[in-house]
Amino acid sequence: LAPEQVRTPVRLFKGNVVSRAQRAFFIDSRVYGSDDGPIEGLPGGDIPCFGDGCPTCAGAEGSFVWSPMTFDRMAPLKDRKYMPTNNVFEDVYAAHIMNKFEEGRGLWAAGGSVLIKGGVFLNNYIVAAGVSDQSGACFKVTKDSPAAFTIVFQDSLFISGPLSKEFFTVYDSGIHVVNSRWVVPTGTTDKFSIAKPKPAFGGNGNPVYMEKTGPLTKFDGDSDNEHFKWALPLAQGATSVGSTITQLADFTDFAWGGANSQNWRGAYIYSTDGFGLENKQPMLVAADRAGPAKDWGTLAISVSGADSIAKYIRAYPPEFLCSDSRRYGIWCGDGIELVHCPGYVKTLSDWYKVSLAPWKA
């Protein structure tokens, strides 16, 4: 593939099991032994990664992030056309992911477009966090996911434990969680929350977006669902859930910025159906300096109802979007005009009309 390994999709992982590790699924780091030649003009000299000797690297150092794409491998480099694609993980299992040296995660994705279907994440320090792929922010992992939400979970189950800090990290990469459930059994640390920001994160990223997702047993059909019914005994000893979820969000470790900063308002968790609780109306829980919504977490504010939420998210759009007014990866494939990308929004304030239920067509 010559210098194209960073763009080559490993299309499907199925049935992978990782236990008692620092990371389960890890998209990042350096690639050694490739055929790439030196790239000139980088901060570290002619070889990427600040001159540490590797031909490619991930990150914002003037080199690469993982950007899986389809292309004609037989075509000469100058004639190749690229289309972003996703990596699919089916029926994967990550258990007892530890925090030994730095933040242990079930999934860390520096770039990439990841779809996890039927995953089980048990007693992970953190389940998922990521950095948006700046080469393809207009790509949608699934047709129903917003552009630049590069981590998508479908039909997945998240079970906390004594190692657990959070399931989802509010950070640069948007996370879309669909038709999934969580359980917070007895024995989970009292410092656990469903979502927390990455330390030093200031809100200038993308949120967590949930559809038909919440505590196990709160949705019709859970007792017959093949993905979830085996875990019902765990739910019997889980933290009780009433009309709110007190462990939903904790924004204690947050870079609030100066007195005039408003970035923090963009850090939130949005559910189309109230996380499966009684009223089933749209619910948003966001960072807030005063933290009045103690029934939903720490240093948080809650907004309910489609009209009120639309007003909020219209005022505070995500940082990574498919729009002319954003500078991050406004591209969804060679030969496709920006305005024809499926996630394109002409006006930032209208982004939710293209991307989120119940507003999107």
Side-chain angles (χ1 to χ4, degrees), residues 12 67 75 88 121 128 143 172 195 215 224 230 249 260 269 280 284 288 340 352:
L12 176 64
S67 304
V88 181
F121 295 83
K143 66 180 182 65
D172 286 350
D224 298 318
W230 64 269
N260 296 324
I269 303 96
K280 297 292 190 293
L284 180 147
D288 186 83
H340 294 146
Y352 67 98

Side-chain angles (χ1 to χ4, degrees), residues 12-345:
L12 176 64
F13 300 82
K14 190 166 186 176
N16 301 70
V17 176
V18 182
S19 182
R20 300 189 181 279
Q22 176 73 16
R23 300 275 173 85
F25 306 103
F26 182 66
I27 301 174
D28 201 337
S29 201
R30 277 79 170 147
V31 178
Y32 288 88
S34 96
D35 293 329
D36 286 13
I39 299 177
E40 298 179 354
L42 294 172
D46 289 346
I47 298 209
C49 302
F50 296 102
D52 65 2
C54 63
T56 61
C57 66
E61 300 146 6
S63 186
F64 299 96
V65 292
W66 175 252
S67 304
M69 303 181 195
T70 58
F71 59 92
D72 183 353
R73 301 179 186 183
M74 303 306 294
L77 290 176
K78 65 181 180 63
D79 296 330
R80 291 181 180 177
K81 294 185 180 297
Y82 299 97
M83 298 294 295
T85 188
N86 57 21
N87 296 125
V88 181
F89 296 75
E90 288 187 5
D91 302 325
V92 295
Y93 180 85
H96 314 300
I97 303 302
M98 301 173 285
N99 184 45
K100 189 173 182 181
F101 302 109
E102 55 183 287
E103 293 188 332
R105 300 179 179 96
L107 169 65
W108 167 255
S113 300
V114 179
L115 172 60
I116 294 182
K117 303 166 67 175
V120 177
F121 295 83
L122 168 65
N123 193 28
N124 288 201
Y125 182 71
I126 296 171
V127 168
V131 178
S132 292
D133 171 9
Q134 296 186 19
S135 71
C138 290
F139 177 66
K140 299 171 70 169
V141 176
T142 73
K143 66 180 182 65
D144 294 321
S145 295
F149 281 60
T150 57
I151 297 173
V152 179
F153 293 96
Q154 294 178 349
D155 301 314
S156 294
L157 181 62
F158 313 98
I159 304 168
S160 62
L163 295 177
S164 300
K165 178 187 175 188
E166 76 230 30
F167 289 147
F168 310 111
T169 300
V170 184
Y171 190 40
D172 286 350
S173 177
I175 299 176
H176 188 197
V177 192
V178 185
N179 193 34
S180 297
R181 306 289 183 269
W182 67 68
V183 183
V184 183
T186 302
T188 299
T189 172
D190 58 4
K191 296 181 179 180
F192 168 81
S193 290
I194 303 300
K196 293 182 180 182
K198 192 176 187 294
F201 177 60
N204 53 337
N206 285 15
V208 177
Y209 170 35
M210 296 184 178
E211 294 184 275
K212 300 178 183 177
T213 293
L216 184 63
T217 74
K218 293 297 180 180
F219 293 82
D220 294 339
D222 280 1
S223 60
D224 298 318
N225 190 303
E226 294 296 327
H227 295 289
F228 311 132
K229 65 180 183 181
W230 64 269
L232 289 173
L234 289 174
Q236 295 175 1
T239 302
S240 61
V241 175
S243 58
T244 65
I245 303 171
T246 57
Q247 290 177 297
L248 184 76
D250 183 349
F251 292 98
T252 302
D253 293 329
F254 197 71
W256 296 96
N260 296 324
S261 174
Q262 296 293 311
N263 284 342
W264 49 272
R265 296 185 183 276
Y268 57 82
I269 303 96
Y270 167 62
S271 170
T272 60
D273 46 20
F275 307 101
L277 304 185
E278 294 175 1
N279 58 32
K280 297 292 190 293
Q281 68 174 333
M283 174 65 64
L284 180 147
V285 177
D288 186 83
R289 291 177 186 268
K294 293 180 173 55
D295 288 342
W296 290 99
T298 304
L299 296 181
I301 188 173
S302 63
V303 183
S304 60
D307 292 342
S308 296
I309 291 173
K311 181 178 180 180
Y312 186 96
I313 60 181
R314 186 165 56 242
Y316 308 108
E319 182 72 14
F320 298 92
L321 280 178
C322 183
S323 171
D324 298 281
S325 56
R326 287 293 197 243
R327 59 187 177 87
Y328 300 107
I330 48 176
W331 177 83
C332 66
D334 286 348
I336 300 176
E337 294 184 34
L338 176 63
V339 296
H340 294 146
C341 290
Y344 174 77
V345 290

